[in-house]
Amino acid sequence: EHTKGVNGLPKVILREVRGCSAEVYLYGAQVTSWKNEHGEELLFLSSKAIFKPPKAIRGGIPICFPQFGIQGSLEQHGFARNRHWMVDPDPPPFLTCSPNKAFIDLILKHSEEDAKIWPHRYEFRLRVTLGPGGDLMMTSRIRNTNTDGKPFMFTFSYHTYFAVTDISEVRVEGLETLDYLDYLKNKERFTEQGDAITFEAEVDKAYLSTPTKIAIIDHERKRTYELRKDGLPDAVVWNPWDKKAKAIPDFGDNEYKHMLCVEAACVEKPITLKPGEEWRGRQELSAVPSSYCSGQ
Ligand code: TA6
């Protein structure tokens, strides 16, 4: 369903047969809501989110492209999340099309404006699917359409803000013993401890060469989020905690307690595409009752 969201920004609502839903703003191609069949919101959206271009919406799933973080002249996390995407008029053939899947295809292409700061031509196609059982799938296809023979490099992240009951009662499984870059210590490289990760202070780490599946366990709510990814070797874990959250104007003061970013990403080794080449990066999110899933 195509409708208008906050400040009249166009958004698409995906609904699934059992009542699950998702909302995607064309601004930034940003998922801002993902609800289960009970109508419970599974993504964090800041109460102070500013739905006003060129500011990125705080929460949901911002897309970081053509860079993650700050590099050179591009703004933090690149420009894709600050642009108006279009509904894709000729989406790639959908491999498996079944009746109980709702999906939307969006596209972003290079602009003369952007070419001033990132001198490349590209087509970025995003498909957001609300699958059977309410899983949320996102597939990005990025193609180098340079006509000057030039390859380009980029880094990327699905900057997912998971809603949690209390960050102090959250555990992340799947990242133990891995190496990570600590963005709070000048991206110095460390090795993670041997058991599940818990949270009691600001954390901003990019785990490297991570498994395809990561579990985020909301102990209070007895809910586990499963993040499955393909083409995205790294995973960024971020919680600003109290001090940093207060310093971010569009972050409510105590809201850090109710969110955790776990981001399927490619940050350590940029992706290089030659003209005509296409990269695919996919994440699939599901929310299952913890009793069923913990310890697997
Ligand atoms: O993904 C973690 C991070 O890079 C943090 O360092 C913090 O800056 C966060 O992204 C939010 O960035 P934003 O530009 O959306 O405020």
Side-chain angles (χ1 to χ4, degrees):
E1 178 197 347
H2 291 248
T3 180
K4 294 271 185 222
V6 178
N7 294 337
L9 288 171
K11 78 175 175 181
V12 175
I13 302 176
L14 302 176
R15 297 188 201 289
E16 180 262 350
V17 284
R18 296 172 325 123
C20 304
S21 69
E23 298 191 1
V24 192
Y25 274 78
L26 268 61
Y27 176 58
Q30 190 158 338
V31 176
T32 51
S33 171
W34 168 41
K35 289 182 181 171
N36 64 14
E37 66 274 23
H38 310 299
E40 294 168 322
E41 180 56 68
L42 304 170
L43 295 177
F44 167 84
L45 187 66
S46 167
S47 60
K48 297 188 175 173
I50 299 165
F51 288 76
K52 220 164 168 47
K55 176 79 188 135
I57 300 166
R58 173 73 59 196
I61 308 177
I63 291 180
C64 302
F65 172 82
Q67 79 181 20
F68 175 82
I70 295 183
Q71 263 144 7
S73 60
L74 291 184
E75 62 249 58
Q76 157 108 322
H77 294 332
F79 49 72
R81 64 178 183 168
N82 306 332
R83 294 292 178 273
H84 295 281
W85 290 54
M86 314 282 287
V87 175
D88 187 353
D90 59 342
F94 198 48
L95 306 179
T96 56
C97 191
S98 70
N100 61 349
K101 276 188 179 176
F103 63 90
I104 180 74
D105 286 302
L106 302 174
I107 185 165
L108 181 71
K109 287 185 181 174
H110 62 277
S111 69
E112 293 320 309
E113 200 55 30
D114 291 341
K116 291 178 191 152
I117 48 173
W118 200 63
H120 296 293
R121 297 163 70 93
Y122 66 88
E123 284 179 2
F124 184 155
R125 286 185 158 86
L126 173 76
R127 171 165 290 177
V128 181
T129 307
L130 190 62
D135 289 358
L136 183 72
M137 288 161 270
M138 299 173 74
T139 304
S140 291
R141 290 172 178 78
I142 297 172
R143 180 181 298 280
N144 178 337
T145 54
N146 274 339
T147 52
D148 58 6
K150 283 203 186 114
F152 63 57
M153 293 167 66
F154 64 94
T155 49
F156 181 98
S157 116
Y158 287 118
H159 198 297
T160 307
Y161 286 74
F162 290 99
V164 297
T165 317
D166 175 353
I167 184 63
S168 312
E169 300 290 324
V170 169
R171 227 172 51 248
V172 172
E173 292 180 351
L175 302 175
E176 2 353 316
T177 76
L178 295 178
D179 278 9
Y180 63 86
L181 307 178
D182 191 334
Y183 282 77
L184 301 179
K185 294 176 182 154
N186 203 17
K187 288 170 68 169
E188 203 179 324
R189 193 178 180 119
F190 297 89
T191 301
E192 188 53 71
Q193 63 185 22
D195 45 38
I197 299 163
T198 52
F199 302 90
E200 55 275 324
E202 180 183 0
V203 66
D204 192 350
K205 299 175 177 177
Y207 289 84
L208 309 174
S209 311
T210 58
T212 50
K213 183 183 146 190
I214 299 169
I216 297 109
I217 298 149
D218 178 342
H219 189 67
E220 296 241 321
R221 184 73 62 110
K222 302 249 169 297
R223 173 187 295 150
T224 292
Y225 295 110
E226 292 180 354
L227 185 165
R228 289 177 173 78
K229 54 192 178 60
D230 185 41
L232 293 157
D234 306 325
V236 178
V237 176
W238 177 58
N239 185 294
W241 221 256
D242 55 350
K243 223 158 50 42
K244 185 66 72 63
K246 281 201 177 70
I248 300 174
D250 58 341
F251 215 119
D253 282 358
N254 280 321
E255 288 184 333
Y256 74 93
K257 291 177 181 162
H258 309 300
M259 56 68 69
L260 178 67
C261 282
V262 179
E263 309 165 39
C266 186
V267 297
E268 187 195 22
K269 300 187 185 86
I271 297 147
T272 301
L273 290 180
K274 296 193 198 77
E277 280 186 332
E278 178 180 87
W279 170 82
R280 290 192 191 185
R282 180 184 158 82
Q283 77 164 2
E284 187 169 331
L285 308 180
S286 47
V288 297
S290 282
S291 47
Y292 161 70
C293 174
S294 59
Q296 263 187 0

